[in-house]
Amino acid sequence: MILNSRGRMMYDTIVYKHPTDTANYLLELDSNCIEQAMKYFRLFRIKKKVDLAIENLSLFSVFKTDKNFLSQNSLITAKDPRCADLGYRVILPKDETLSTNSDLNEYKKFLYQNGVAENGEDFSQANSIPLEYNIEFLNGVSFDKGCYLGQELVAKTHYTGVVRKRIMPIKLVNPTETKFEKESVILNKKTGQTVGKLKNLIQDCGIAMLRLANVDKDAIVLLDDQKNEHSVQVFIPKYWPLDEPILKDLKRF
């Protein structure tokens, strides 16, 4: 995770050792923000002897299958470092492909079922707080390493133990053709309190930023743009080590 000086999320990334040059590393980034990210990285290069270059490669995620499916021609084949359920990341030379039956929507739905936000379409750049996106559970931060940009907020939030909101998987109880906008309001219909906001939705599965204290397994609804209520189930991601009494009635996806 790349942060700004205020400890807010700028870009999410996975770092790999370069397959042919051990002195270099590859950073996996959203293709929609490559140029912007390069400009951001160069702000901090100053006089350091660090070269930055864009290397166009093909990236695939292999999930819900065994490793025998993976390409023998891959430059990199690695377990997804975020959590075991996310399978493998496969990097191939540009224009090479894997023979798959899936598409990007299937992949995104799989991420949401696991309570994982990915890329700028799932978080608000320069405004999102890392621990609210579960990065400490997804191997996204070390609390033992030296200083890094944005460390003060991340460490303070971690050591005070106060994370009131988190990204959680949700599922529509009754799938509908209704289109929901990002940031649509989610309510506790028993109390009338706002529980949180929708961050993204693929078909009937999505992720939402929810205030943990207001989550009720039988009373959560998502509002559409006409203020109609749509019942949703809220789940706990499998990788959460949390044991909070307020979440004891929720199921894992």
Side-chain angles (χ1 to χ4, degrees):
M1 190 69 67
I2 309 297
L3 309 180
N4 63 15
S5 59
R6 296 171 53 243
R8 265 57 176 186
M9 294 159 56
M10 293 295 293
Y11 311 99
D12 59 342
T13 182
I14 296 176
V15 181
Y16 307 89
K17 289 185 177 179
H18 198 284
T20 59
D21 185 350
T22 57
N24 290 320
Y25 294 86
L26 291 176
L27 272 67
E28 175 189 321
L29 286 164
D30 181 359
S31 60
N32 293 319
C33 67
I34 291 292
E35 295 294 343
Q36 183 191 58
M38 291 288 282
K39 291 179 181 178
Y40 186 71
F41 295 156
R42 289 190 178 107
L43 292 175
F44 305 99
R45 185 171 58 177
I46 311 177
K47 296 182 180 180
K48 301 294 183 182
K49 294 181 179 180
V50 176
D51 292 323
L52 300 171
I54 297 173
E55 190 160 351
N56 291 312
L57 301 170
S58 296
L59 171 69
F60 296 87
S61 175
V62 178
F63 55 93
K64 297 183 179 179
T65 188
D66 62 52
K67 193 175 179 180
N68 294 328
F69 179 84
L70 305 180
S71 171
Q72 299 299 314
N73 299 320
S74 66
L75 299 174
I76 294 175
T77 297
K79 289 184 177 180
D80 194 308
R82 293 170 292 185
C83 71
D85 289 338
L86 296 185
Y88 291 84
R89 312 295 277 184
V90 180
I91 298 177
L92 299 174
K94 185 174 175 58
D95 299 326
E96 288 197 24
T97 187
L98 294 178
S99 176
T100 69
N101 295 318
S102 62
D103 59 23
L104 186 58
N105 278 347
E106 184 177 348
Y107 169 67
K108 293 294 286 188
K109 182 176 180 179
F110 181 68
L111 286 182
Y112 297 162
Q113 289 171 339
N114 282 278
V116 176
E118 185 178 273
N119 297 336
E121 63 185 31
D122 292 339
F123 64 85
S124 176
Q125 188 183 62
N127 290 305
S128 300
I129 297 175
L131 298 192
E132 292 182 347
Y133 282 78
N134 304 321
I135 67 164
E136 76 273 39
F137 303 148
L138 293 168
N139 295 314
V141 62
S142 170
F143 297 104
D144 300 320
K145 72 182 294 294
C147 294
Y148 55 87
L149 193 66
Q151 180 187 24
E152 184 176 353
L153 174 73
V154 175
K156 179 180 178 181
T157 304
H158 173 70
Y159 288 114
T160 58
V162 181
V163 182
R164 295 185 175 87
K165 300 182 294 180
R166 285 192 181 274
I167 281 289
M168 299 182 72
I170 64 169
K171 185 176 182 180
L172 289 168
V173 174
N174 298 303
T176 173
E177 296 298 321
T178 302
K179 301 296 182 182
F180 297 95
E181 298 294 330
K182 293 181 184 179
E183 304 298 321
S184 293
V185 172
I186 297 175
L187 296 177
N188 182 324
K189 65 181 181 182
K190 287 183 180 178
T191 64
Q193 293 177 310
T194 297
V195 179
K197 293 184 177 181
L198 178 71
K199 290 301 177 181
N200 225 330
L201 187 73
I202 297 291
Q203 299 169 0
D204 60 338
C205 295
I207 49 173
M209 181 66 70
L210 302 179
R211 186 171 291 276
L212 302 180
N214 294 348
V215 173
D216 184 317
K217 72 182 183 71
D218 298 318
I220 305 302
V221 295
L222 172 63
L223 302 186
D224 62 28
D225 59 0
Q226 301 299 316
K227 306 301 181 184
N228 298 312
E229 297 181 353
H230 302 263
S231 294
V232 298
Q233 291 177 282
V234 179
F235 297 88
I236 299 176
K238 292 179 182 178
Y239 57 80
W240 271 23
L242 299 182
D243 183 22
E244 298 197 30
I246 58 176
L247 300 176
K248 62 182 174 57
D249 293 328
L250 297 182
K251 297 179 180 178
R252 293 186 183 269
F253 211 107

